[in-house]
Amino acid sequence: MYYIYLLNTTYRYSEQVALPSTPSDAHPEEPEQGIEFIYIEQIHTMREYDLTTLYVDWGHLLQTDEVLADAIMKQYYRFLPYIRRALYNLVAEYEPNYLKLNPNAATTDSVNLMTKEFNVAFYHLPLVSGIRELRTDRIGTLMSISGTVTRTS
């Protein structure tokens, strides 16, 4: 039952996060019309540039639902399928033709029946760990890593 709540919460979160229009707008509109839904706009941009990853600011998720953000950080692999399903539902609602690999092919074509895989990437995570801090107790968690990778022959 919690997974259905998570899926619905994640889906609603993506639709509710909005930023006000920039102050440089020459003709300010009414407040409700001037709101830009950043993740919905990002879905339209994904289709325009043929991208499959939605980038989510961790701070937005933290402001919207701190419990959900904490659960995702601590058990990322557990919640990943539900996050991806919520993104799939958003794409289906706002860009339904973008779900198929080849939407112009005949319906009997097997390629047309395949759907794209969408991913979510989080940025601005609160804690950045070093590569040397990776341990087995961190498996399955969401974390940000900083370090230098060198190649030796």
Side-chain angles (χ1 to χ4, degrees):
M1 194 67 170
Y2 182 72
Y3 298 118
I4 294 170
Y5 166 76
L6 173 70
L7 181 59
N8 289 334
T9 303
T10 307
Y11 182 75
R12 279 186 283 120
Y13 159 75
S14 300
E15 290 186 314
Q16 291 174 351
V17 173
L19 295 178
S21 58
T22 59
S24 64
D25 289 344
H27 303 289
E29 301 172 302
E30 295 177 21
E32 290 182 7
Q33 293 175 350
I35 291 178
E36 174 188 0
F37 291 95
I38 58 175
Y39 296 109
I40 304 305
E41 289 298 318
Q42 200 177 141
I43 289 172
H44 296 307
T45 304
M46 286 169 53
R47 180 168 196 250
E48 183 180 341
Y49 293 105
D50 197 30
L51 303 172
T52 57
T53 302
L54 180 78
Y55 294 92
V56 176
D57 187 340
W58 187 259
H60 292 164
L61 182 59
L62 207 54
Q63 287 176 348
T64 306
D65 192 342
E66 192 173 330
V67 174
L68 177 63
D70 186 53
I72 289 173
M73 182 169 281
K74 289 180 179 174
Q75 298 180 1
Y76 180 68
Y77 279 160
R78 181 178 179 190
F79 295 115
L80 182 59
Y82 303 100
I83 294 168
R84 292 179 68 189
R85 184 65 182 172
L87 175 56
Y88 182 87
N89 290 342
L90 277 172
V91 172
E93 182 174 342
Y94 292 100
E95 291 289 347
N97 292 334
Y98 190 55
L99 292 174
K100 304 294 181 188
L101 287 175
N102 189 3
N104 297 326
T107 56
T108 58
D109 189 5
S110 64
V111 173
N112 189 39
L113 300 176
M114 296 176 58
T115 59
K116 293 184 179 183
E117 285 190 30
F118 295 99
N119 297 295
V120 176
F122 295 102
Y123 62 95
H124 291 147
L125 291 170
L127 180 64
V128 178
S129 303
I131 292 177
R132 295 183 187 268
E133 296 173 24
L134 290 177
R135 301 285 182 257
T136 55
D137 63 329
R138 302 280 184 124
I139 293 175
T141 63
L142 181 64
M143 58 187 300
S144 181
I145 301 169
S146 176
T148 304
V149 178
T150 58
R151 179 177 167 220
T152 60
S153 309

